[in-house]
């Protein structure tokens, strides 16, 4: 007899004794058990519109530990939800439950069978990692969602993921062989295709497994006709449970039945997957059309040529990416037109791929299509795919446009009906005033993606959201389509499933749920007996984040810190394990709270807590938020790498300024934050300060007082500052190009003056007359990075007074230290967006390479035939760019290798502070330091950032030193060997300290001890 369907009154989880649950989990589970406020906040939502704060989080170290966690939860009646990358768009990864996060530890590739073309994996393995490990076999796992750099196989199985490659390989359901699953009641077994003989053997053995199989077969027989007639016969049917996989012609495949069940039925422990050969060669063809519906009309003609992938994009998507300056290299290659089909043809050789592309081009031109453009260069192909894969982020947050949201982001119809469906969908969007939404997607399989500018913060807006989804569901069902063609049902579409399947199949879904999870403890409220689609909204009609008084003006977020925090849409690009700069701390810790997304979630909960009683209710004073931000390196990598340009470095500075207002700060905030002042004092007696910091006993004491890790060496102050050297110097050259102001940042001026001296020689040789401020100046960077924004803004205003005559005369300001240069190009504007002189400063500040390459017509760099390993400073990557640097090095004949190493890990004050050393070194050891160690003895290490050079020189990098570009070019001017020159970099070396200097050092140490008290009194006085 079949169990009755699960019918649940949507609401909170039943009362669970959390204290007892936590105690048992910690006693019995080999893993990290986190029921703290910060962890719960970080997992409160996914990439969807929904928010439910979990009971807690368990991060098992092994699969067996995960089994033990389920057993403890069962004993306490606690609901469960498994989570991988947490990028789901329908709300299936958020619940008032215990979250099992498999991604940190359970990510092994256990077996590979090249002959059978299968592999065995744990659920936490990331798709890109799996395929990288399979590379030597010539095989890969075929389905490849746009989130391939961070989505886990467990999540892909739960969601029945697809991606563009599903055109060739099919969905996940088509590529799974067998699964090891765990039921909530503790039953554990392998499932896969089941022959009649295997079924009989299972029944002979008896037990819970036999009961499950018997009930599944009865379910199939009872609803056989409904399954065969009500399931849409389309390539992208993802909505609903896969009851069709129980059909005899599909081999009673229980593993495939469980794929796409979104954690509502079982916990997947291991998976055996089907692999496909890697496409050896490809060619990409772009065909343009008057509009997106016309592109949809042409899909069937293109499908006749068996493309590897077939994507559609419209002009709105391209316009959004251009407005955000995303993926510009690829955007420049897109032909003009209203919409495009992006068609990838494959072959075993480049010639075969080109021949297939040529046949396609001949066919589409013969059919009267618009412009056709072909890409056969792999680099160009990658650029074009970046355009497509960045679409979700590009359409989510566009300056000057309404914020967009998921909800109806992946409907699907038969490809032959796509053009007509697109026209009707556009009409429906226009009827609701939502016509600005972009339409794109996997057109070869009839799947349409869109993000829509719903108004989710008012009662009327939420009502219209519901009304639109109900009408859109009716529309796609009328086409014989699926509510979801990729992202699943979750909460967003679970309530709409009866429209698609009818009452009988919905009853069958409930019975399937009851077979595996009769107590409804597995991800309750999703798919079956779902929460209403307009409940548990992350925003909602009661959303109101207060208008807070902040120091940064947030000019790109309507002046609102709350709007800035809302930028994060949860796509999780910050969770990738390599490539780019964002997010260095996550790359080494694999902690959700250490990702840009996790920190954004905590800030959201902090703002929400004061209004709706969110999980964080102590506002700016929150220790949970402070702890989550503690390992943020303030690298600004997210400002460039995040699809919606979250700037966590700025949010961290803002938070710290309020968190520590009127109270003592960490000691490092005084030693590192006030470095420009301390450096100026040290300039009076550098020998005394160096004696203090370098002597064994005093040095340890000084580092303790300054909150500096004992394993760090405090950089030595130069014997003579750059400004002093420049004041005593006679200008050289004719200065025929005019004047430039060379910015004497603290790091260059006080620690490495030789860098600025080299820059002066290079600039004068290029025809510039160099000027340098003749008094102490500072950009305020160190105060910004430690959240001492009152001092930072005062310092910037003081600096503007010094620079004002030069700025109003149109003089360019040349920055040598990327972090300080980035302050002028970014932070200053965000602090003073309406100040005309700040605007001039932003526009007139350039890097050395930019001045030479972009503003010195006819200049040619000296020839320097060498191989250079370049570590790009994070702030240069995020704010300044490296185009000019690449051009200068190419012009000099340098074979330049820009290492994809991300942040060096030192990141200004971060790597010096106590408690950060391990993460700092792990960041460096991920790519940078191994690359330096592996470099040939003749290779040049280039790093414009003081932090980057310091990290290379202080870490175990084989005794190597790094050069600034200015030093490198200066060597070329003089025809010298390219090696570091300590005397030139440091200026005049400090003399050994005298007895008086040592006494002065002790006095400085005493002042350092008193400095925090003085600063606190001053802050309270303000």
């Amino acid at each position: 007899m079949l169990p009755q369907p699960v019918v649940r009154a949507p609401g909170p989880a039943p009362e669970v004794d959390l204290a007892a649950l936590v105690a048992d989990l910690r006693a019995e589970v080999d893993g990290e058990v986190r029921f703290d406020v910060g962890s719960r906040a970080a997992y409160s939502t996914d990439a969807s519109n929904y928010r439910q704060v979990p009971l807690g989080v368990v991060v098992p170290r092994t699969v067996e530990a995960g089994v033990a966690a389920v057993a403890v939860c069962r004993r306490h009646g606690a609901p469960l939800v498994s989570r991988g990358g947490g990028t789901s768009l329908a709300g299936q990864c958020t619940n008032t439950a215990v979250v099992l996060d498999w991604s940190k530890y359970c990510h092994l590739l256990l077996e590979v069978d090249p002959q059978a073309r299968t592999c065995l994996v744990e659920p936490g393995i990331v798709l890109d990692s799996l395929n990288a490990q399979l590379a030597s076999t010539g095989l890969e796992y075929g389905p490849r969602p746009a989130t391939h750099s961070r989505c886990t196989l467990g999540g892909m199985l739960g969601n029945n993921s697809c991606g563009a490659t599903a055109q060739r390989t099919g969905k996940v359901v088509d590529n799974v062989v067998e699964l090891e699953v765990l039921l909530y009641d503790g039953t554990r077994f392998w499932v896969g295709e089941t022959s009649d003989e295997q079924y009989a053997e299972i029944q002979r053995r008896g037990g819970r497994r036999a009961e499950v199989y018997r009930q599944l077969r009865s379910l199939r027989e009872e609803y056989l006709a409904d399954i065969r007639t009500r399931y849409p016969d389309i390539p992208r049917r993802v909505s609903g449970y896969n009851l069709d996989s129980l059909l005899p012609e599909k081999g009673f495949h229980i593993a495939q039945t469980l794929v796409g069940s979104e954690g509502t039925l079982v916990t997947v422990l291991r998976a055996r997957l089907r692999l496909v050969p890697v496409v050896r060669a490809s060619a990409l063809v772009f065909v343009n059309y008057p509009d997106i519906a016309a592109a949809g009309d042409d899909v069937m003609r293109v499908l006749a040529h068996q493309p590897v992938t077939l994507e559609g994009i419209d002009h709105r998507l391209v316009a959004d990416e251009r407005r955000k300056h995303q993926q510009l290299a690829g955007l420049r290659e897109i032909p003009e037109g209203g919409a495009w089909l992006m068609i990838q043809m494959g072959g075993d050789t480049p010639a075969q791929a080109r021949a297939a592309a040529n046949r396609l081009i001949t066919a589409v031109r013969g059919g009267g299509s618009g412009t056709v453009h072909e890409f056969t260069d792999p680099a160009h192909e990658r650029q074009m795919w970046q355009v497509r894969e960045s679409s979700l982020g590009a359409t989510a947050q566009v300056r000057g446009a309404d914020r967009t949201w998921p909800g109806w982001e992946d409907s699907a119809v038969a490809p032959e009906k796509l053009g007509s469906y697109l026209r009707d969908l556009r009409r429906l969007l226009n009827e609701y005033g939502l016509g600005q939404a972009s339409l794109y997607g996997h057109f070869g399989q009839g799947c349409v993606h869109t993000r829509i500018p719903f108004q989710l913060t008012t009662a009327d807006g939420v009502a219209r959201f519901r009304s639109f989804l109900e009408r859109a569901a009716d529309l796609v069902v009328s086409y014989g389509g699926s509510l979801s063609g990729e992202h699943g049902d979750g909460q967003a579409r679970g309530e709409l499933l009866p429209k698609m399947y009818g009452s009988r199949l919905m009853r069958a879904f409930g019975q399937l749920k009851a077979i595996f999870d009769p107590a409804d403890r597995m991800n309750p409220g999703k798919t079956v007996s779902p929460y209403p689609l307009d409940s548990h909204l992350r925003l909602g009609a009661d959303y109101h984040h207060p208008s807070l008084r902040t120091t940064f003006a947030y000019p790109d977020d309507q002046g609102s810190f709350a709007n800035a925090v809302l930028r994060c849409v949860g796509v999780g690009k910050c969770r990738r394990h390599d490539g780019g700069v964002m997010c260095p701390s996550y790359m080494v810790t694999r902690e959700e709270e250490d990702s840009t997304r996790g920190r954004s979630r905590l800030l959201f909960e902090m703002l929400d807590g004061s209004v709706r009683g969110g999980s964080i209710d102590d506002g700016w004073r929150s220790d949970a938020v402070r702890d989550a931000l503690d390992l943020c390196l303030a690298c600004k990598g997210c400002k460039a790498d995040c699809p919606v340009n979250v700037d966590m470095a700025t949010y961290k500075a803002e938070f710290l300024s309020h968190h520590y207002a009127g109270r003592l700060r960490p000691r490092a905030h005084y030693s590192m934050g006030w470095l420009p002042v301390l450096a100026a004092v040290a300039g009076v007696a550098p020998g005394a300060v160096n004696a203090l910091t370098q002597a064994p006993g005093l040095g340890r004491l000084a580092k303790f007082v300054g909150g500096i890790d004992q394993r760090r060496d405090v950089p030595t102050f130069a014997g003579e500052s750059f400004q002093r050297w420049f004041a005593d110097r006679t200008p050289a050259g004719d200065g025929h190009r005019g004047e430039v102001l060379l910015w004497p940042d603290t790091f260059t001026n006080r620690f490495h003056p030789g860098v600025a001296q080299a820059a002066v020689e290079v600039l004068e040789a290029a025809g510039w007359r160099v000027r340098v401020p003749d008094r102490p100046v500072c950009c305020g960077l160190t105060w910004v990075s430690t959240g001492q924004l009152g001092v930072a803004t005062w310092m910037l205003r003081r600096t503007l007074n010094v620079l004002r005559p030069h700025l109003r005369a149109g003089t360019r300001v040349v920055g040598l230290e990327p972090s300080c240069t980035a302050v002028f190009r970014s932070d200053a504007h965000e602090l003073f967006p309406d100040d005309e002189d700040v605007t001039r400063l932003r526009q007139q500040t350039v890097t050395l390479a930019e001045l030479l390459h972009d503003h010195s017509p006819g200049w040619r760099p000296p020839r320097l035939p060498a191989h250079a390993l370049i570590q790009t400073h994070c702030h240069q990557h995020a704010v300044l760019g490296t185009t000019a640097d690449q051009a200068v090095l190419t012009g000099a004949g340098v074979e330049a290798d820009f290492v994809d190493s991300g942040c060096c890990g030192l990141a200004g004050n971060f790597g010096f502070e106590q408690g950060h050393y391990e993460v700092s070194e792990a960041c460096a050891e991920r790519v940078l330091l191994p690359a330096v160690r592996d470099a040939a003895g003749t290779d040049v290490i280039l790093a414009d950032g003081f932090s980057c050079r310091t990290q290379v020189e202080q870490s175990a990098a084989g005794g190597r030193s790094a050069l600034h570009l200015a030093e490198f070019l200066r060597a070329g001017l003089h025809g010298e060997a390219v090696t570091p020159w300590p005397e030139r970099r440091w200026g005049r070396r400090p003399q050994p300290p005298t007895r008086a200097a040592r006494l002065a050092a002790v006095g400085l140490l005493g002042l350092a001890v008193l400095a925090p008290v003085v600063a606190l009194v001053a802050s309270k006085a303000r």
Side-chain angles (χ1 to χ4, degrees):
M1 179 177 176
L2 285 173
Q4 292 303 301
V6 170
V7 179
R8 181 189 52 79
E15 209 56 47
V16 175
D17 186 340
L18 288 181
L21 173 64
V22 171
D24 287 352
L25 285 169
R26 288 178 175 159
E28 301 177 34
V29 176
D30 177 20
E32 299 168 11
V33 178
R34 303 174 182 166
F35 280 62
D36 59 282
V37 169
S39 295
R40 295 171 63 232
Y43 288 82
S44 61
T45 187
D46 44 20
S48 71
N49 297 327
Y50 302 99
R51 166 188 173 269
Q52 289 178 273
V53 180
L55 302 177
V57 180
V58 177
V59 185
R61 289 191 173 88
T62 64
V63 168
E64 299 306 317
V67 174
V70 174
V72 174
C73 289
R74 177 173 65 254
R75 202 159 65 236
H76 289 270
L80 283 169
V81 56
S82 282
R83 178 159 159 149
T87 59
S88 296
L89 287 156
Q92 52 267 68
C93 283
T94 175
N95 215 322
T96 308
V98 174
V99 173
L100 287 178
D101 185 346
W102 299 94
S103 64
K104 185 175 181 180
Y105 298 115
C106 299
H107 47 62
L108 295 181
L109 170 59
L110 300 168
E111 297 174 10
V112 180
D113 186 339
Q115 283 70 44
R117 292 185 176 177
T118 63
C119 69
L120 181 66
V121 300
E122 293 179 338
I125 191 169
V126 168
L127 177 59
D128 274 3
S129 175
L130 170 61
N131 282 336
Q133 294 178 66
L134 292 170
S136 62
T137 68
L139 302 171
E140 65 180 355
Y141 191 64
R144 190 173 185 265
T147 55
H148 52 85
S149 65
R150 61 269 192 198
C151 66
T152 67
L153 264 297
M156 291 177 68
L157 288 161
N159 212 55
N160 195 8
S161 297
C162 311
T165 57
Q167 185 71 45
R168 174 176 76 103
T169 67
K171 307 184 293 290
V172 165
V173 70
D174 306 308
N175 294 274
V176 61
V177 179
E178 58 180 348
L179 302 174
E180 184 184 16
V181 299
L182 176 70
L183 277 58
Y184 188 80
D185 65 12
T187 306
R188 178 177 177 178
F189 50 86
W190 284 88
V191 294
E193 189 173 1
T194 313
S195 66
D196 289 342
E197 293 76 15
Q198 290 169 323
Y199 178 83
E201 175 61 20
I202 291 168
Q203 294 305 309
R204 186 187 66 79
R205 293 179 181 177
R208 178 76 169 107
R209 184 187 184 193
E211 179 188 10
V212 167
Y213 275 63
R214 186 168 57 254
Q215 290 176 338
L216 288 175
R217 182 166 280 198
S218 297
L219 180 71
R220 181 189 72 183
E221 297 308 315
E222 180 175 346
Y223 295 98
L224 189 64
D226 302 273
I227 296 170
R228 284 192 164 132
T229 59
R230 288 300 302 258
Y231 269 67
D233 184 18
I234 60 174
R236 280 296 186 104
R237 195 278 306 161
V238 171
S239 280
Y241 288 136
N242 295 329
L243 295 181
D244 55 331
S245 292
L246 296 175
L247 294 173
E249 58 267 32
K250 292 195 176 181
F252 195 57
H253 206 309
I254 299 175
Q256 291 182 353
T257 301
L258 295 174
V259 168
S261 57
E262 301 177 348
T264 62
L265 303 179
V266 299
T267 298
V268 174
L269 303 178
R270 296 179 181 89
R272 194 175 307 278
L273 308 172
R274 182 172 291 112
L275 305 177
V276 297
V278 173
V279 176
R280 298 181 181 276
S282 62
L284 193 63
V285 177
F286 263 69
V287 186
N288 79 298
Y289 299 86
D291 56 53
I292 196 65
D297 290 335
D298 213 23
V299 161
M300 295 306 294
R301 187 154 59 101
V302 174
L303 284 177
H305 293 266
Q306 297 183 317
V308 174
T309 60
L310 173 51
E311 302 290 288
I313 55 178
D314 71 359
H315 69 283
R316 289 179 174 86
L317 170 61
V318 174
D320 287 347
E321 293 201 9
R322 283 181 171 144
R323 287 167 72 182
K324 296 185 67 174
H325 305 291
Q326 284 192 340
Q327 317 301 341
L328 287 182
L331 292 173
R332 284 193 292 268
E333 301 291 339
I334 292 183
E336 292 300 320
W340 300 265
L341 287 182
M342 180 177 175
I343 312 156
Q344 187 179 44
M345 306 300 293
D348 289 334
T349 66
Q352 287 182 1
R354 282 195 299 273
N358 289 336
R359 289 192 294 271
L360 170 68
I361 289 169
T362 300
V364 296
R365 281 179 174 160
S369 299
T371 305
V372 179
H373 199 91
E374 181 183 5
F375 302 90
T376 56
D377 176 62
H380 276 158
E381 277 201 58
R382 285 192 297 271
Q383 291 170 357
M384 303 314 296
W385 278 113
Q386 287 172 0
V387 171
R388 172 60 185 85
E389 290 182 352
S390 298
S391 52
L392 190 155
T395 57
Q397 174 86 25
V398 182
R399 185 183 303 176
D402 290 334
R403 198 183 301 268
T404 63
W405 305 97
W408 193 251
E409 76 283 349
D410 67 324
S411 55
V413 297
E416 60 268 25
K417 300 179 180 179
L418 181 58
S420 297
Y421 173 66
L422 286 167
R423 291 183 182 90
D424 284 344
L425 180 59
R426 176 62 72 192
R427 277 192 282 270
L428 182 63
L429 288 165
N430 290 337
E431 179 185 335
Y432 278 78
L434 305 171
Q436 62 268 49
S438 173
L439 297 175
Y440 57 97
H442 310 297
F443 279 19
Q445 294 190 314
C447 182
V448 180
H449 288 321
T450 184
R451 287 182 68 94
I452 301 174
F454 297 118
Q455 299 299 320
L456 297 178
T457 58
T458 66
D460 180 64
V462 172
R464 287 177 64 78
F465 166 70
R466 166 177 276 281
S467 173
F468 175 85
L469 294 186
E470 290 173 341
R471 291 276 305 281
D474 290 336
L475 174 64
V476 78
V477 169
S478 74
Y479 273 86
S482 175
L483 309 179
S484 171
E486 182 155 29
H487 298 146
D489 299 316
Q491 186 176 342
R493 286 172 284 274
E495 189 185 353
L496 301 172
L497 285 173
K499 292 178 178 287
M500 179 175 168
Y501 285 107
S503 58
R504 274 186 55 81
L505 277 179
M506 290 307 301
R507 178 178 175 82
F509 288 170
Q511 289 173 323
L512 180 72
K513 168 79 167 171
I515 290 171
F516 287 98
D517 179 32
D520 192 23
R521 298 293 79 204
M522 301 294 294
N523 207 10
K526 316 294 177 175
T527 306
V528 172
S529 296
Y531 294 110
L533 63 83
D534 52 358
S535 67
H536 297 302
L537 291 172
R538 183 154 61 101
L539 300 184
D542 61 345
Y543 168 82
H544 174 67
H545 281 181
S547 179
L548 301 172
R549 183 178 179 182
T550 58
T551 305
F552 282 99
Y554 305 99
D556 295 330
D557 294 288
Q558 299 81 50
S560 167
F561 179 73
N563 283 345
V565 169
L566 267 183
R567 277 182 174 269
C568 178
V569 294
V571 295
K573 192 176 179 182
C574 48
R575 283 176 52 96
R576 61 187 178 188
H577 296 169
D578 50 47
V581 175
M582 176 186 72
C583 178
S585 52
Y586 176 79
M587 288 184 189
V588 299
T589 69
R590 306 289 175 89
E591 296 282 358
E592 178 70 19
E593 283 186 68
D594 292 334
S595 68
T596 305
R597 181 179 72 179
R599 294 173 180 131
S600 294
R601 295 291 176 253
L602 265 79
L603 288 169
F604 178 93
E605 292 293 318
M606 179 193 82
L607 294 174
D608 212 50
S610 62
V611 179
R612 296 191 293 186
S615 57
I616 297 174
D617 58 7
D618 45 357
W620 294 117
R621 296 298 195 189
S622 170
D623 290 341
V625 177
R626 180 203 61 201
D627 293 345
L629 292 171
D630 182 56
L631 291 183
C632 171
L633 286 83
C635 67
K636 284 189 178 288
C638 48
K639 187 177 177 70
D641 292 358
C642 172
V644 289
N645 309 116
V646 168
D647 185 0
M648 192 54 62
T650 295
Y651 308 166
K652 176 181 180 178
E654 186 74 63
F655 174 82
L656 292 177
S657 72
H658 296 276
H659 184 76
Y660 288 111
R663 54 180 177 172
L664 283 173
R665 292 171 163 269
R667 299 192 302 277
H669 285 200
Y670 300 105
S671 61
M672 298 284 101
W674 286 76
L675 180 64
V677 173
L678 297 175
V681 174
V684 177
V689 177
N690 290 331
L692 170 63
T693 60
Q694 307 302 319
L698 286 175
R700 284 194 295 272
L701 181 58
K703 284 188 274 191
F704 172 78
V705 170
I708 298 170
D709 193 283
Q710 293 293 336
R711 290 163 287 188
R712 284 290 178 196
D713 297 328
V714 176
T716 305
F717 289 93
E720 180 181 52
S721 71
F722 164 66
Q723 282 180 298
R724 184 179 300 174
W725 172 87
F726 187 84
D728 295 337
R729 180 182 181 276
T730 301
D734 59 10
H736 66 274
R737 293 190 188 276
E739 287 190 359
V740 291
L741 188 75
L742 186 61
W743 179 250
D745 64 87
T746 296
F747 305 101
T748 305
N749 189 36
R750 299 291 182 179
F751 293 100
H752 286 178
V755 169
Q757 294 168 15
V760 170
E761 291 191 50
V762 171
L763 290 171
E764 289 181 337
W768 292 98
R769 175 72 67 207
V770 179
R771 296 285 183 256
V772 174
D774 57 2
R775 52 185 134 163
V777 286
C778 182
C779 68
L781 168 71
T782 57
W783 287 287
V784 171
S785 63
T786 54
Q788 300 179 79
L789 298 182
V791 182
T793 54
W794 179 86
M795 188 61 68
L796 267 171
R797 290 191 184 280
R798 180 179 176 278
T799 294
L800 280 173
N801 289 334
V802 175
L803 296 183
R804 187 168 287 111
H806 302 280
L807 296 174
R808 294 184 177 181
T811 304
R812 299 191 186 281
V813 179
V814 179
L816 298 175
E817 171 57 40
S819 54
C820 297
T821 310
V823 171
F824 289 165
R825 291 262 282 263
S826 178
D827 300 79
H829 166 72
E830 289 158 13
L831 287 165
F832 309 114
D834 300 321
D835 189 306
E836 292 296 334
D837 286 321
V838 170
T839 300
R840 294 185 182 99
L841 178 62
R842 185 186 195 188
Q843 295 170 345
Q844 292 168 217
T845 297
V846 293
T847 66
L848 176 64
E850 287 172 340
L851 182 77
L852 295 172
H853 181 259
D854 300 336
H855 304 288
S856 304
W859 176 82
R860 294 289 181 269
R863 296 295 295 174
L864 283 159
H867 179 267
L869 202 69
I870 295 101
Q871 167 64 14
T872 302
H873 191 283
C874 298
H875 291 189
Q876 180 155 7
H877 168 83
V879 177
L880 310 172
T882 61
T883 302
D885 297 74
Q886 295 178 39
V888 167
L889 291 170
T890 300
V894 177
E895 184 185 346
D897 181 7
F898 284 80
V899 186
D900 190 10
S901 55
C903 184
C904 73
L906 198 62
N909 56 291
F910 178 86
F912 282 97
E913 293 181 7
Q914 290 176 2
H916 294 167
Y917 181 83
E918 286 77 12
V919 169
S920 173
E921 287 295 289
C923 290
E925 289 289 354
R926 196 177 57 80
V927 175
L928 173 61
L929 295 184
V932 171
R933 292 190 200 102
D934 292 343
T938 55
D939 287 350
V940 179
I941 314 299
L942 287 181
D944 281 3
F946 175 81
S947 292
C948 306
R949 295 195 300 272
T950 302
Q951 183 75 304
V952 168
E953 291 164 10
Q954 289 197 4
S955 300
R960 300 298 295 264
S961 294
L963 296 175
H964 191 284
L965 177 64
E967 297 173 303
F968 188 56
L969 294 175
R970 183 202 173 281
L973 289 177
H974 294 275
E976 296 176 350
V978 184
T979 56
W981 315 275
E983 293 79 10
R984 290 181 183 140
R985 169 173 291 172
W986 292 83
R988 182 168 54 83
R989 281 285 190 181
Q991 298 301 309
T994 63
R995 182 171 180 273
R998 291 190 181 94
L999 290 174
V1002 175
L1004 283 171
L1005 183 60
L1007 289 173
V1009 173
L1010 293 173
V1013 178
V1014 174
L1016 177 61
V1017 172
S1019 69
K1020 287 190 173 181
R1022 285 198 301 272

